[in-house]
Amino acid sequence: MNLKKKIISYSLFFFLFMFIFLILILFVFQPFTSLADVQKNPEIVITDEQGNELMHYMNYHRITPVDLERFDEDNLSYLLHIEDRSFMTHSGFNLQRIFKTLTSNLFHNQRHGASTITQQYIKNLYLNNSKSISRKIKELYYAIKLEQVATKEQILEGYLNCIYLGNDIYGFANASRYYFNTSYDRLTAQQMIALIALLNAPSYYSSHITAWEKRKNELAKILHDDHLLDTTVYQQVVQPLDFDHCAKLYPDALLYYCDAVLNEFKQIAVKAKFNQKIIIQTRYHSAINDQKFTTNANIASITIDQDGFILSCIGDIDYARSTFNIALNGKRDIGSTIKPLLYYEALKCGYSPSTTHYSAPFSFQYHDETISVSNYGSIYPYQKINMKNALATSDNIYAIKTHLDLGMKTLVYHLRKYNIAAQALPSLALGSIGMSLYQLIRIYSQFFTEGLYLEPKFIETVSLDDQAVFKAHPQKKQLLKSDYVKQIKELMNGMFDSKIKHATGLGIASLLKEKCYGKSGLTDYDSYMIGFSNDILIAVWSGHLDNRELKDSATKKLPKQIFLQQMNAYIKNKNDV
C-alpha cells in the first residue's frame, strides 16, 4: 500500500472514530438545546380579520406554501436523486456521503456538500450559513432529532417551502412564479431541473444564465444516464430556458403592510417552539388595499378604524423601487391640514364657528419685514367669512389672521401635546411643520373619535397552536376637550358642502356614498387629503421624495381621488356583507 493510500485509510478511520464519538457525545450528554426548545419564530402567518392568509413567512422570508400532494411525482424524484438519494431511508445524515465528500475535499481538491435535505431544512429554518464547526454540529444534531419527531413528508414539504433560489426568492412555489410565471404543480421537467440546478449556487446561477444552463444540462445528463429521464424528455430539458418572469409576486400595498406588521411583532415578547406556527391576526382590508393608482409621483396612505387598528398602510407606489414606507417614516410639511388644530385653539380662546375675518390679499409686519399672504389660485371672496367657510375653502387669510390674533405660540403649545416641536412663525398657520402621515393621522383620530388620541396598531392578536397569547389594546388618550373637537368635526364636513363656493372637496363630494368629513392640504411640494366617515379615517399624501415641485394638476388632485376610491370601496364592501 503506497503512502497516499495509507494516509487516506488512516484519515477515514480517524474520521469514523471521531464521528461515532461525536454521535455519542450528542446523544448521551446532549450539549445543545433540544430542538423542541429552540425559539426562533420560524413560521409566521399574517391574516386579515376573517382569518384569511395574507402572507406566510419561514425564518422571516416570504414564501407561498406548497402542498406536497400536488407536486408532480417525477419532479420530486428528480430533486431527491440530485440532492439526497437516500432521503427516504436515512436518519438525518448520510454517512457514506460524508465519507465521500471528505475524501473528495481533502484529497481530490473537489468541493462537494454532504448535507442531506433534512440538514438543509434545519439550516435554513433554525440556523444560519456560517461555516463554523459549531453550526455544522448543531445542524447534524437537530437533523437527527427532527427525523425522530417529523415525517419524511413534513420535512420534504418544509424544505420545498424554505430553500433559497436566488433573487430574494424562497421556496419552489415562489420560484416557479418568479422565473416561469407558473404554479409549482405545473412545472415542466425542464423548469424543475432548472430550479434544482439553482440550489448549488442560487445567487451565482440566477445572475449568470449561461452557467445556469450548463448546470441544468449537467443534471439532465445525470438523470438521463440513471434512467430517470427518457431520451425524448432529455432532449426537451437541454433546450434553452424560456423565462417568463413575474416580477411582482405580491401586491405592493400588501408588502408595505406586512413589513410594518413584522416590525411591530418584533416588539412583542412572543416566542414559538419547534413546529409551532405563529398566527398574527390583523384588520387588513382587502377592498381598500386593492385599489389601483397610476402616477409618476410618490404616494402614501393609512386607514384606521374606530378601535385604532390599521386597515391599510400603503408606503409608496412601487415596493420593488423602494421598500421605504413613506406613510410611517417620511416627514413632510403638512400644509393646510394643520388648520383644524388652529381653529380648535381659536374655539378655546373665545372664537365661535360664526367668528369672521375679512378675506382679501393681506400683508403684515414681522421683524421689520413685510409678509404677504395669498390664497391658492389667488381666489378671494373679498368679504367677511366665518370659520366653516374658511375651513371648507382652506382660506389662508383667515388662518393667518387667527394665528396672529391668538399669538403664534398658541399653536406651538398645541403641537407639544403630540411631542412635536415647532417654531412660533407666521408660516406655522399654513403647515410649515414636518411630520409623518402616521403622526398626522394620530392627530386627526381625535376628530374621528370625537376626542380620543389613538396610537394605531397593526396587530390585533397573536396565537400559538390556536391559543391567543397576545391581544392588542391600542392606547387612547383624551388630550383635547371633546366639545370643541365635535364642533371642529362638524365644520370639516364643509369641504363637501355644495352650498359653499370653492369648497375644496366639491370635485368628489357627489361621488361619496356616505357623509364624510375632511381637510385637504397643498404646498408647492406636497398634497394631502385626510377624511373620515363614522367608521374609518383615511390619510393620503402625494408628492416627490426628491422635493420636486408639484406642477401637474393630476398629482395635486391624486390624494382626493385615492381617498374617494378607498372610502367607497370600504362602504361597498360593508354594504355587501
Side-chain angles (χ1 to χ4, degrees):
M1 183 181 295
N2 61 39
L3 181 60
K4 185 175 181 179
K5 288 185 178 179
K6 284 184 179 181
I7 293 174
I8 293 175
S9 298
Y10 290 146
S11 297
L12 293 178
F13 176 79
F14 176 75
F15 174 77
L16 178 61
F17 173 79
M18 292 302 297
F19 187 82
I20 294 172
F21 179 74
L22 174 62
I23 294 296
L24 289 173
I25 290 292
L26 288 175
F27 285 90
V28 174
F29 297 102
Q30 298 194 5
F32 300 118
T33 305
S34 168
L35 184 64
D37 295 323
V38 173
Q39 296 186 343
K40 186 72 184 294
N41 296 338
E43 190 168 9
I44 297 173
V45 176
I46 298 175
T47 72
D48 63 15
E49 189 174 18
Q50 283 72 44
N52 301 313
E53 183 173 307
L54 298 173
M55 192 70 75
H56 204 120
Y57 295 89
M58 296 192 79
N59 202 10
Y60 289 108
H61 300 305
R62 288 184 291 270
I63 66 119
T64 299
V66 303
D67 180 350
L68 197 62
E69 293 184 356
R70 290 177 54 196
F71 226 107
D72 183 86
E73 290 185 8
D74 287 337
N75 283 344
L76 287 177
S77 70
Y78 304 150
L79 173 69
L80 295 179
H81 194 76
I82 296 298
E83 288 295 305
D84 192 352
R85 296 185 188 185
S86 62
F87 172 73
M88 299 305 297
T89 57
H90 66 57
S91 299
F93 65 94
N94 185 329
L95 188 57
Q96 180 182 0
R97 189 170 178 182
I98 292 173
F99 274 112
K100 182 178 179 181
T101 299
L102 182 67
T103 303
S104 297
N105 291 352
L106 289 177
F107 302 105
H108 300 290
N109 198 29
Q110 296 174 343
R111 314 310 289 175
H112 297 292
S115 295
T116 62
I117 279 178
T118 310
Q119 288 174 279
Q120 292 180 60
Y121 176 45
I122 285 291
K123 181 185 73 173
N124 279 275
L125 205 56
Y126 291 99
L127 302 173
N128 53 51
N129 290 320
S130 70
K131 303 294 185 181
S132 68
I133 296 295
S134 173
R135 198 273 292 166
K136 291 297 293 183
I137 294 175
K138 282 185 177 182
E139 177 186 298
L140 175 63
Y141 177 63
Y142 290 150
I144 297 170
K145 285 292 189 181
L146 179 60
E147 290 278 355
Q148 297 172 354
V149 297
T151 67
K152 291 290 184 179
E153 288 74 19
Q154 289 173 324
I155 296 170
L156 182 56
E157 191 171 278
Y159 170 84
L160 290 166
N161 282 331
C162 74
I163 199 69
Y164 183 57
L165 287 154
N167 289 302
D168 201 31
I169 301 298
Y170 289 82
F172 274 76
N174 280 358
S176 301
R177 289 181 59 206
Y178 178 78
Y179 292 109
F180 306 116
N181 200 17
T182 191
S183 174
Y184 68 89
D185 56 350
R186 300 182 66 183
L187 287 169
T188 65
Q190 184 199 47
Q191 292 167 340
M192 182 64 185
I193 294 168
L195 294 181
I196 296 170
L198 279 177
L199 296 173
N200 185 245
S203 296
Y204 175 76
Y205 286 131
S206 61
S207 58
H208 295 80
I209 304 303
T210 301
W212 185 4
E213 288 275 7
K214 181 180 178 182
R215 174 67 177 165
K216 175 204 63 167
N217 294 342
E218 290 172 351
L219 297 187
K221 180 72 164 55
I222 293 171
L223 293 168
H224 180 253
D225 291 347
D226 293 345
H227 309 294
L228 272 77
L229 284 181
D230 63 35
T231 302
T232 301
V233 177
Y234 171 75
Q235 292 297 332
Q236 294 170 351
V237 171
V238 296
Q239 294 298 311
L241 287 168
D242 183 16
F243 293 103
D244 182 11
H245 283 91
C246 177
K248 288 194 176 183
L249 301 181
Y250 305 99
D252 294 290
L254 179 62
L255 291 170
Y256 286 112
Y257 188 91
C258 289
D259 279 359
V261 171
L262 282 189
N263 286 335
E264 187 171 292
F265 171 72
K266 290 174 183 178
Q267 308 305 314
I268 300 172
V270 172
K271 292 290 184 182
K273 294 184 178 181
F274 167 74
N275 223 25
Q276 281 187 309
K277 185 186 296 183
I278 296 173
I279 307 295
I280 301 175
Q281 185 175 14
T282 72
R283 294 194 183 181
Y284 182 87
H285 198 285
S286 296
I288 296 173
N289 288 282
D290 286 347
Q291 303 307 303
K292 304 299 181 185
F293 316 109
T294 301
T295 178
N296 293 321
N298 300 104
I299 65 169
S301 173
I302 304 179
T303 304
I304 66 173
D305 64 14
Q306 283 278 352
D307 294 325
F309 289 104
I310 299 173
L311 312 184
S312 171
C313 181
I314 299 172
D316 203 352
I317 194 72
D318 188 352
Y319 186 88
R321 183 175 65 184
S322 173
T323 61
F324 180 74
N325 193 317
I326 301 169
L328 300 179
N329 305 307
K331 288 198 171 184
R332 312 287 298 190
D333 279 0
I334 64 171
S336 292
T337 60
I338 201 171
K339 290 174 181 175
L341 309 183
L342 175 64
Y343 298 151
Y344 167 86
E345 291 295 335
L347 293 178
K348 278 180 58 183
C349 293
Y351 275 56
S352 75
S354 61
T355 300
T356 61
H357 283 299
Y358 190 82
S359 180
F362 176 65
S363 297
F364 63 96
Q365 292 297 120
Y366 177 72
H367 290 179
D368 299 325
E369 181 182 356
T370 300
I371 304 293
S372 297
V373 184
S374 60
N375 281 342
Y376 177 73
S378 296
I379 298 173
Y380 308 95
Y382 291 97
Q383 63 182 26
K384 289 184 176 182
I385 60 172
N386 61 27
M387 190 180 289
K388 181 174 183 177
N389 277 265
L391 198 57
T393 61
S394 201
D395 192 278
N396 291 338
I397 311 304
Y398 192 102
I400 287 290
K401 288 183 175 181
T402 302
H403 187 46
L404 296 175
D405 192 21
L406 299 180
M408 290 185 289
K409 288 187 178 180
T410 302
L411 197 48
V412 172
Y413 294 144
H414 183 96
L415 292 171
R416 285 181 185 174
K417 299 176 188 290
Y418 320 118
N419 296 316
I420 296 172
Q423 292 183 293
L425 298 172
S427 59
L428 185 59
L430 305 182
S432 63
I433 179 69
M435 64 180 76
S436 68
L437 202 61
Y438 177 79
Q439 289 176 299
L440 192 55
I441 202 170
R442 289 192 67 185
I443 292 171
Y444 268 71
S445 68
Q446 298 171 110
F447 304 117
F448 173 49
T449 62
E450 298 186 348
L452 296 177
Y453 179 62
L454 304 178
E455 184 181 3
K457 296 293 184 182
F458 287 91
I459 296 173
E460 185 168 11
T461 62
V462 178
S463 300
L464 288 172
D465 295 333
D466 298 324
Q467 294 293 318
V469 295
F470 171 83
K471 185 171 179 61
H473 300 283
Q475 188 177 10
K476 303 176 181 180
K477 296 179 182 179
Q478 186 83 39
L479 298 182
L480 306 183
K481 295 183 177 181
S482 58
D483 287 346
Y484 299 134
V485 169
K486 290 176 183 178
Q487 290 184 65
I488 296 296
K489 173 186 173 181
E490 287 305 317
L491 295 180
M492 290 172 70
N493 176 249
M495 72 173 291
F496 305 114
D497 189 341
S498 59
K499 300 184 185 68
I500 300 177
K501 189 176 181 181
H502 301 304
T504 58
L506 294 183
I508 62 172
S510 63
L511 302 174
L512 287 167
K513 299 182 182 299
E514 283 187 1
K515 182 179 180 179
C516 290
Y517 312 80
K519 182 72 188 77
S520 59
L522 183 64
T523 73
D524 290 339
Y525 309 98
D526 305 277
S527 182
Y528 288 90
M529 175 62 210
I530 305 182
F532 52 92
S533 64
N534 289 328
D535 298 316
I536 61 170
L537 167 62
I538 301 173
V540 189
W541 167 88
S542 70
H544 300 288
L545 286 185
D546 59 6
N547 283 322
R548 278 179 287 149
E549 188 175 346
L550 290 183
K551 293 184 177 180
D552 63 294
S553 60
T555 302
K556 294 176 181 178
K557 295 176 181 177
L558 187 58
K560 289 174 187 163
Q561 295 301 317
I562 293 175
F563 169 80
L564 173 67
Q565 290 184 45
Q566 292 183 332
M567 180 61 75
N568 281 351
Y570 175 87
I571 294 167
K572 182 178 185 303
N573 181 263
K574 179 182 69 171
N575 293 337
D576 288 345
V577 173

